[in-house]
């Protein structure tokens, strides 16, 4: 559906995107993840034909964005980071304008605008000026704008940025709903965002792809070191030293509770080693009470940090 | 053609905002003030000369937002990722501001009515005068749209337009300095009023049409080129 092939973009001397390649399959929701200034927006702008690439090619449904920009633009719906709305128009006026601009035939326009408003839950604000609706609703207008011409592919740049938690959940639901009928690519620097909605993740750092995988695959990558969290009532330093002596334990970081009533110990075990029984026995032997012990499921956050840190400083991981 | 979509949207936002009405009212007030002391003939020549001066202030206000506002609001991302060519976008915006100018012209029709009440105006002369005025304003608007595409700051766009219009008006002053040199006639031909005068006298000369249409197309073309290169 979308093929990104060796795309590189220079801004003057600065390389914003560096030989990025991946494909977006039909019906898929792909997350583009990376810290700020990783090149996510630049890449999306290249795919939508807003910016030309310095090198490389992008094809949407087989059309090259540089050679056939009009064909690509007809097939892509784009929500920039800032929803591109005109505050002096009503929601309906605006969507009618966008439908006309994107070449929806006159006879279908009303139906398409109604369809987009229904889908985005905008029917009850149709007659309001965009200046007078909330940030969350503006974002929905931005999404309605992107789907009004029934594009094959939706490109959403940070669709939930700047929204309150309730609005974020609503927009996520909306994206999932859209995912049933569209192929979607969305960007985010917030991990829960991507893990809540996407099938696959492309991780970008400094313009380069550091990982492409399904969420499960990424998580499996990170499970080569199991981290345990133990809460005990006992002396923090002493416990840390004893735990470190247990076979299979690589590293222990103690955090003493205020008042000295106990401690939380982060235990980093070797891959494949189950040290839980060892920790339990150690507590019993020393007369400490084990208040809690659980395995930390590696979150996308940790995977992300690991992947991006490994990329910038290869020596760092070995010492950790 | 997507020009119509852009045109309708622009006209809507022009006439929905109070700025259009306030600046039109101000224009007509100042025009009436200037003309009251000066209108001695029934051919509206005094009206046209006052209008052409006031246009130097009115046109920058009318054109400053055309492109700048899209860029500062980020809505140019919508326009440039839509299946609409840059030329059709620029044309739609140009025609929308021209609609405002024509609305203003209709308001100045009162002077023709007054002239008809108290004298026997030469309608042909008035018609050619309006035609010349329309072409002159179209050139000014094209310059204003171009200036607006240079910056996302509306105020700067207005200032650039104002300075550019002053240049095209005052450039014939240079022709006096270079009177003996052939350069002098170049400057004279660049100046807008050189070409307007004949319309004001009721003369329709092809060379003037070429000048105005050439200038309009030049500046609209520069706008398209500029929007294209800004992306690189």
């Amino acid at each position: 559906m979308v093929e990104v092939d060796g795309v590189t973009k220079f801004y003057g001397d600065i390389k914003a995107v560096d030989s990025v390649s991946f494909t977006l399959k039909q019906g898929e929701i792909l997350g583009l993840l990376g810290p700020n200034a990783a090149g996510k927006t630049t890449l999306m702008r290249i795919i939508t034909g807003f910016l030309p690439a310095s090198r490389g090619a992008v094809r949407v449904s087989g059309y090259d964005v540089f050679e056939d920009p009009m064909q690509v633009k007809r097939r892509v719906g784009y929500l920039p980071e800032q929803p591109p709305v005109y505050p002096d128009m009503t929601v309906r006026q605006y969507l009618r304008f966008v439908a006309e601009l994107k070449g929806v035939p006159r006879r279908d326009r009303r139906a398409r605008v109604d369809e987009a408003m229904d889908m985005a839950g905008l029917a009850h604000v149709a007659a309001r000026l965009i200046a007078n609706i909330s940030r969350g609703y503006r974002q929905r207008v931005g999404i309605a704008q992107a789907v009004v011409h029934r594009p094959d592919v939706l490109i959403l740049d940070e669709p939930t940025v700047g929204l309150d938690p309730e609005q974020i959940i609503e927009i996520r639901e909306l994206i999932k709903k859209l995912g049933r009928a569209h192929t979607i690519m969305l960007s985010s620097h917030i991990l829960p965002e991507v893990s809540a909605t996407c099938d696959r993740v492309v991780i970008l750092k400094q313009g380069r792809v550091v990982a492409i995988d399904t969420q499960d695959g990424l998580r499996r990558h990170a499970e080569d070191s199991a981290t345990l969290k133990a809460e005990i009532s006992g002396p923090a330093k002493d416990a840390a030293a004893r735990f470190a002596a247990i076979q299979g334990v690589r590293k222990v970081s103690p955090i003493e509770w205020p008042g000295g009533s106990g401690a939380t110990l982060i235990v980093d075990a070797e891959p494949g080693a189950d040290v839980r029984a060892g920790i339990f026995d150690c507590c019993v032997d020393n007369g400490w009470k084990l208040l809690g012990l659980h395995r930390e499921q590696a979150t996308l956050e940790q995977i992300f940090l690991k992947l991006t840190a490994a990329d910038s400083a290869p020596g760092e991981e070995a010492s950790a | 053609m997507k020009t119509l979509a852009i045109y309708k949207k622009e006209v809507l936002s022009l006439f929905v905002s109070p700025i259009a009405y306030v600046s039109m009212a101000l224009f007509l007030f100042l025009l009436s003030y200037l003309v009251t002391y000066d209108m001695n003939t029934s051919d509206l020549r005094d009206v046209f000369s006052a209008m052409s001066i006031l246009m130097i202030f009115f046109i920058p206000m009318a054109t400053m937002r055309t492109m700048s506002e899209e860029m500062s609001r980020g809505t140019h991302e919508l326009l440039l990722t839509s299946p609409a060519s840059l030329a059709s976008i620029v044309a739609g915006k140009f025609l929308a501001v021209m609609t405002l100018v024509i609305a203003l012209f209709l308001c100045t029709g009162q002077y023709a009515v007054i002239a008809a009440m108290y004298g026997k105006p030469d309608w042909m002369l008035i018609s050619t005068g309006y035609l010349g005025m329309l072409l002159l304003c179209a050139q000014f608007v094209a310059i204003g749209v171009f200036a607006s595409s240079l910056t996302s700051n509306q105020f700067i766009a207005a200032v650039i337009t104002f300075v550019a219009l002053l240049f095209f008006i005052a450039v014939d002053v240079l022709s006096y300095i270079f009177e003996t040199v052939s350069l002098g006639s170049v400057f004279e031909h660049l100046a807008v009023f050189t070409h307007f005068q004949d319309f004001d006298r009721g003369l329709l000369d092809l060379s003037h049409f070429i000048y105005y249409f050439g200038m309009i197309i030049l500046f609209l073309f520069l706008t398209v080129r500029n929007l294209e290169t800004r992306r690189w």
Side-chain angles (χ1 to χ4, degrees):
Chain A
M1 184 106 295
V2 179
E3 295 163 63
V4 178
D5 185 8
V7 167
T8 299
K9 175 73 185 175
F10 286 97
Y11 289 120
D13 286 340
I14 300 159
K15 214 183 226 181
V17 174
D18 187 358
S19 347
V20 169
S21 300
F22 60 86
T23 55
L24 179 55
K25 292 175 217 131
Q26 170 102 43
E28 183 179 44
I29 304 184
L30 180 93
L32 196 58
L33 191 64
N36 293 323
K40 303 187 295 287
T41 298
T42 303
L43 192 57
M44 291 186 142
R45 285 179 164 176
I46 290 169
I47 296 170
T48 55
F50 181 74
L51 282 177
S54 309
R55 271 205 300 274
V58 175
R59 278 175 296 274
V60 177
S61 310
Y63 292 101
D64 187 289
V65 73
F66 193 75
E67 278 153 25
D68 275 320
M70 291 301 163
Q71 292 293 340
V72 170
K73 286 171 183 181
R74 239 169 246 145
R75 285 166 175 78
V76 172
Y78 175 43
L79 172 67
E81 198 172 337
Q82 199 54 256
V85 294
Y86 298 97
D88 50 2
M89 293 173 114
T90 67
V91 172
R92 186 183 289 279
Q93 276 172 342
Y94 171 72
L95 291 174
R96 281 189 75 90
F97 160 67
V98 177
E100 189 175 351
L101 186 69
K102 296 197 175 170
V104 176
R106 175 182 285 274
R107 61 181 183 283
D108 297 341
R109 244 173 252 158
R110 175 179 284 274
R112 292 289 177 78
V113 167
D114 285 341
E115 180 186 288
M117 284 199 299
D118 275 350
M119 181 278 308
L122 288 166
H124 61 291
V125 293
R128 303 242 322 251
L129 281 180
I130 293 175
N132 298 336
I133 62 176
S134 69
R135 180 82 175 78
Y137 272 103
R138 260 181 234 191
Q139 196 71 20
R140 288 171 184 226
V141 174
I143 293 176
Q145 163 275 128
V147 299
V148 76
H149 58 306
R150 289 191 183 156
D152 299 342
V153 183
L154 277 180
I155 311 266
L156 311 173
D157 194 357
E158 307 249 357
T160 58
V161 80
L163 300 180
D164 66 37
E166 205 176 317
Q167 292 168 335
I168 289 177
I169 293 167
E170 286 170 10
I171 296 291
R172 262 184 215 165
E173 290 305 315
L174 182 53
I175 291 170
K176 278 189 191 160
K177 204 162 85 186
L178 286 170
R180 283 179 222 140
H182 299 86
T183 303
I184 301 180
M185 176 170 165
L186 63 88
S187 75
S188 181
H189 63 277
I190 310 156
L191 292 144
E193 190 55 60
V194 173
S195 51
T197 41
C198 299
D199 306 321
R200 265 197 324 149
V201 184
V202 172
I203 297 184
L204 279 184
K205 198 202 176 189
Q206 290 169 357
R208 284 168 41 210
V209 174
V210 292
I212 304 179
D213 212 337
T214 60
Q215 286 201 28
D216 289 346
L218 281 175
R219 202 165 285 135
R220 237 174 285 127
H221 276 307
E223 273 172 5
D224 60 343
S225 87
T227 305
L228 293 167
K229 198 192 241 179
E231 292 170 326
I232 61 160
S233 70
K237 275 189 188 153
D238 199 15
R242 300 276 167 113
F243 279 12
I246 299 168
Q247 186 164 20
V249 172
R250 216 193 256 165
K251 193 182 158 222
V252 183
S253 339
I255 304 161
E256 195 167 352
W257 294 350
S261 60
T264 300
L265 295 111
I266 312 290
V267 180
D268 199 4
E270 275 165 21
D274 193 348
V275 299
R276 287 175 296 184
I279 289 173
F280 179 81
D281 289 342
C282 179
C283 287
V284 172
D285 292 348
N286 291 284
W288 306 323
K289 289 191 178 65
L290 185 60
L291 304 173
L293 179 65
H294 59 103
R295 195 194 285 268
E296 292 271 275
Q297 176 73 273
T299 63
L300 219 44
E301 242 107 2
Q302 289 161 320
I303 303 165
F304 177 71
L305 278 176
K306 215 171 130 185
L307 286 167
T308 54
D311 188 55
S312 64
E316 214 172 71
E317 206 188 6
S319 67
Chain B
M1 205 52 179
K2 302 295 169 1
T3 304
L4 187 64
I6 301 280
Y7 173 79
K8 285 193 290 192
K9 180 224 118 196
E10 285 294 302
V11 168
L12 180 84
S13 45
L14 268 175
F15 285 93
V16 125
S17 80
I19 302 164
Y21 299 104
V22 170
S23 51
M24 277 169 75
L26 194 67
F27 183 95
L28 292 170
F29 173 78
L30 290 172
L31 183 62
S32 300
Y33 182 81
L34 289 174
V35 166
T36 310
Y37 290 97
D38 218 21
M39 192 165 162
N40 303 314
T41 58
S42 65
D43 57 10
L44 298 196
R45 287 177 78 166
D46 305 318
V47 175
F48 289 132
S49 71
M51 269 170 81
S52 55
I53 298 304
L54 289 175
M55 283 297 175
I56 303 169
F57 300 94
F58 180 78
I59 299 289
M61 288 208 296
T63 56
M64 64 182 184
R65 49 172 291 284
T66 46
M67 293 294 164
S68 305
E69 197 176 52
E70 303 277 0
M71 288 189 264
S72 61
R73 276 185 188 156
T75 44
H76 66 309
E77 289 204 50
L78 167 66
L79 301 184
L80 298 185
T81 55
S82 299
S85 67
L86 283 172
S88 63
I89 294 168
V90 171
K93 295 206 165 239
F94 170 78
L95 292 174
V97 181
M98 285 312 292
T99 305
L100 183 70
V101 168
I102 289 166
L104 194 60
F105 280 9
L106 291 177
C107 296
T108 64
Q110 55 179 316
Y111 300 110
V113 173
I114 293 168
M117 281 165 70
Y118 296 98
K120 274 203 167 304
D122 182 341
W123 293 110
M124 277 312 287
L125 203 57
I126 289 177
S127 308
T128 57
Y130 267 115
L131 179 63
M133 204 70 221
L134 187 69
L135 289 169
L136 180 123
C137 286
Q139 183 194 346
F140 284 5
V141 170
I143 293 170
V145 170
F146 171 63
S148 184
S149 77
L150 293 172
T151 166
S152 58
N153 185 319
Q154 295 189 34
F155 179 72
I156 293 173
V159 171
I160 295 172
T161 310
F162 182 72
V163 171
L165 298 190
L166 280 184
F167 169 79
F168 277 104
I169 282 164
V171 71
D172 64 340
V173 173
L174 294 175
S175 67
Y176 300 123
I177 301 169
F178 295 99
E179 208 169 5
T180 53
V181 200
S182 59
L183 208 59
S185 69
V186 173
F187 287 126
E188 203 183 329
H189 279 291
L190 267 179
V192 278
F193 288 135
T194 314
H195 300 277
F196 178 66
Q197 277 158 9
D198 276 353
F199 287 100
D200 211 13
R201 293 188 202 114
L203 294 171
L204 297 179
D205 187 327
L206 185 66
S207 72
H208 302 319
F209 283 98
I210 291 171
Y211 169 82
Y212 283 121
F213 279 112
M215 283 291 183
I216 293 162
I217 289 165
L218 172 70
F219 279 101
L220 293 182
F221 173 75
L222 286 176
T223 309
V224 171
R225 290 297 305 178
N226 179 47
L227 290 173
E228 240 161 43
T229 49
R230 273 182 84 94
R231 300 154 60 216
W232 290 82

